[in-house]
Amino acid sequence: MKLDYNNMLAERIGKEGIPLTALGYLAPQVERATQAMKDKRPQMAWRELPYNQAVIVKDILEYAAEMKPQIDAFVVLGIGGSALGPLAVQQALNHPFYNELPREKRGDNPKLYVVDNVDPERLVHLFETIDPTRALFNVISKSGSTSETMSQFMIIQALLEEKLGKERARKHIVCTTDPESGNLITIAKQEGYKTFYVPSAVGGRFSELTPVGLLPAAFCGIDIEGLLEGAAQMDAMCGEDDITQNPAHMFAVLHYIGMLHGKNITVLMPYADSLKLVADWFAQLWAESLGKKFDLDGKVVNVGQTPISALGATDQHSQLQLYAEGPYDKIVVMMGVDEYRKTITIPKSYGDMPSLGFLGGVTHNKLLQTMQAATEYALTKAGRMNMTITIPKVTPQTVGQLLYFFEVATAYAGELLNINAFDQPGVEEGKNATYALFGRPGYDAKKAELDAAPVKEEQYII
């Protein structure tokens, strides 16, 4: 993987760019952040995932081999990173129309469904699409108190037990949860469900390289050992103290400088359909980790950067106008590949029409890469901060590199901002309000707070 940040610099894009001297001014902060990453590594359990899961991987692969012949669908019940991660890896590494392929063309792997939201139509339509008695449902929740996921679990458990009886239904549910505490581990032990564990110190949005992501990937025939191998490769690259040799640290530093100068939006724009959902996964990672009210000293700072996922060339026709000529408040990060896994050539038709004839004989591969280069040029000419991440080809190893790269960059940005990148108090406030509104025991004070809130005035409702 390569990070090209030429077009972030003032020498390339003018006054809106970063002067090379700025990197020197930030040397003390960079040094502190680099040291903090070393000192806190023992607390960042996700950083050891490429190295400490051999036994877990073996268990996952054996379980997948045993269960695949018995099911037609693997259904993930999870939300946030538990849904975005499996979806991102699936789209990156499997056929874009995977579920529509005949089973033999899927390598005898089951179809994959990810049910994250609790829109009532979602499960009803799923049950119209699959035979639940020929499905394996993967319930993913560290705490086992995630309302969305656990409500889905309870509906499906009841459905399976009605159709199959309690004993047979047991084989159709697999849990991914905390090894020691929480409702789901208690339920799994009580019911006898097969269970995989997320290390207690690994947060949900950093958990894709645990069984949260590895189990669904294995059921869909993805090389999970390759994912971890790629993550280990990126970990080695991120061990450099010199930020000019450390892509994840440099990515974070450039965004930090951008934030200091009003660049409060970052756009991740892959030029490959396979990487589109990696951008969605990144959006949660960046937003939830860095959007914080308080810094580590308790000071109100209200920091963070709004991430936007885009897709090249599609969003050249929907968003690029804003990026090129709108406010100077964005950093655009393009993601490209050197070699696409398929090649298709445009026929030499309509050669008498200059506006179409030039396309004849050109591959779509070349067309998409050219459009990426043109977008880069347009943004640079307009004086807009942009950089490019390039991988040689989309493989399990390079996807593992990308996931780990963004995780390290996020953690490093948190150190530069002097905030805790691993909590989510804003999310918890919404969860607690939900519990209180439903009358969950222990939330009486929150319910009283909600009841005391001002009533909406009808005159402001049209």
Side-chain angles (χ1 to χ4, degrees):
M1 197 205 84
K2 296 178 182 176
L3 175 69
D4 178 353
Y5 59 93
N6 274 275
N7 300 331
M8 295 291 292
L9 304 176
E11 286 75 5
R12 291 276 294 186
I13 64 171
K15 64 183 179 65
E16 290 295 324
I18 298 169
L20 285 172
T21 52
L23 298 176
Y25 296 147
L26 282 178
Q29 287 161 274
V30 167
E31 199 172 302
R32 283 194 296 273
T34 301
Q35 188 59 47
M37 291 291 284
K38 293 177 183 178
D39 294 342
K40 295 180 182 179
R41 179 157 182 145
Q43 286 79 55
M44 297 181 190
W46 53 272
R47 297 209 66 175
E48 301 309 314
L49 295 173
Y51 312 108
N52 61 10
Q53 296 194 94
V55 173
I56 296 167
V57 166
K58 183 174 183 291
D59 189 11
I60 288 173
L61 293 175
E62 289 176 352
Y63 177 65
E66 173 196 346
M67 292 300 298
K68 281 182 187 182
Q70 303 177 46
I71 62 171
D72 299 321
F74 186 91
V75 182
V76 171
L77 307 178
I79 199 164
S82 301
L84 291 167
L87 281 169
V89 170
Q90 170 73 352
Q91 180 163 332
L93 294 170
N94 270 334
H95 195 288
F97 305 108
Y98 174 88
N99 279 3
E100 281 71 46
L101 293 174
R103 180 136 190 173
E104 61 272 16
K105 289 191 176 181
R106 284 185 268 117
D108 208 32
N109 299 309
K111 295 180 179 180
L112 176 70
Y113 298 90
V114 178
V115 186
D116 55 348
N117 207 357
V118 288
D119 183 321
E121 296 182 14
R122 196 77 175 270
L123 276 181
V124 172
H125 290 162
L126 177 70
F127 296 149
E128 293 172 352
T129 304
I130 68 170
D131 176 0
T133 66
R134 289 283 302 170
L136 180 61
F137 295 89
N138 181 200
V139 189
I140 306 176
S141 174
K142 279 193 72 181
S143 66
S145 60
T146 310
S147 298
E148 300 90 343
T149 301
M150 296 309 292
S151 67
Q152 293 169 336
F153 158 69
M154 289 186 281
I155 291 167
I156 286 162
Q157 181 193 52
L159 175 68
L160 289 172
E161 290 183 357
E162 179 186 341
K163 289 180 174 291
L164 297 171
K166 196 173 184 69
E167 187 64 31
R168 289 176 60 204
R170 183 178 294 127
K171 289 207 67 173
H172 291 264
I173 294 174
V174 55
C175 301
T176 306
T177 188
D178 188 274
E180 298 170 357
S181 62
N183 293 332
L184 189 52
I185 185 59
T186 301
I187 292 169
K189 288 179 177 178
Q190 177 182 305
E191 303 288 351
Y193 296 143
K194 174 69 176 176
T195 307
F196 292 92
Y197 301 115
V198 185
S200 298
V202 176
R205 58 188 177 273
F206 288 83
S207 67
E208 174 56 20
L209 295 175
T210 73
V212 167
L214 299 181
L215 184 64
F219 267 88
C220 295
I222 290 168
D223 177 10
I224 60 176
E225 292 171 311
L227 286 170
L228 294 171
E229 179 187 328
Q233 292 165 353
M234 181 52 63
D235 186 42
M237 294 174 69
C238 294
E240 294 284 345
D241 286 351
D242 181 354
I243 60 167
T244 66
Q245 301 301 313
N246 188 319
H249 289 191
M250 180 59 81
F251 182 89
V253 167
L254 294 169
H255 277 82
Y256 175 66
I257 297 173
M259 283 184 253
L260 293 177
H261 291 86
K263 307 299 185 286
N264 293 318
I265 298 171
T266 187
V267 180
L268 186 57
M269 190 172 187
Y271 274 76
D273 279 16
S274 57
L275 299 178
K276 182 180 187 298
L277 294 186
V278 171
D280 286 0
W281 170 84
F282 165 78
Q284 185 214 357
L285 179 72
W286 199 251
E288 199 166 76
S289 299
L290 302 183
K292 298 295 161 65
K293 179 178 181 179
F294 298 103
D295 69 10
L296 294 175
D297 302 316
K299 179 183 175 183
V300 175
V301 288
N302 295 116
V303 297
Q305 193 180 44
T306 301
I308 295 175
S309 62
L311 178 67
T314 300
D315 288 317
Q316 288 179 214
H317 298 270
S318 63
Q319 299 180 28
L320 186 59
Q321 175 64 34
L322 174 66
Y323 304 158
E325 295 191 355
Y328 284 88
D329 59 357
K330 301 170 191 69
I331 296 172
V332 179
V333 182
M334 286 162 281
M335 275 202 300
V337 297
D338 289 328
E339 180 186 350
Y340 294 94
R341 291 168 293 189
K342 301 292 182 182
T343 299
I344 189 166
T345 303
I346 304 165
K348 294 182 178 180
S349 309
Y350 306 108
D352 58 334
M353 297 182 182
S355 60
L356 292 177
F358 77 96
L359 292 171
V362 176
T363 65
H364 264 181
N365 314 50
K366 181 65 174 176
L367 180 59
L368 192 55
Q369 288 170 332
T370 302
M371 287 180 166
Q372 178 185 332
T375 298
E376 179 182 341
Y377 172 77
L379 291 169
T380 303
K381 182 179 179 182
R384 308 302 170 119
M385 285 188 178
N386 67 92
M387 60 178 119
T388 303
I389 295 168
T390 307
I391 58 174
K393 191 175 183 179
V394 179
T395 68
Q397 287 77 11
T398 57
V399 171
Q401 285 181 23
L402 280 174
L403 298 176
Y404 197 86
F405 163 82
F406 285 124
E407 289 176 346
V408 174
T410 300
Y412 195 82
E415 293 302 327
L416 290 168
L417 291 166
N418 192 38
I419 52 99
N420 182 351
F422 306 105
D423 65 357
Q424 51 275 334
V427 176
E428 297 304 320
E429 179 67 16
K431 287 182 179 180
N432 293 338
T434 300
Y435 300 150
L437 288 168
F438 273 106
R440 177 175 165 177
Y443 289 82
D444 296 343
K446 181 59 67 175
K447 180 65 165 62
E449 179 187 321
L450 287 162
D451 290 343
V455 176
K456 291 183 179 180
E457 296 188 35
E458 287 294 328
Q459 63 179 314
Y460 302 126
I461 302 174
I462 300 174

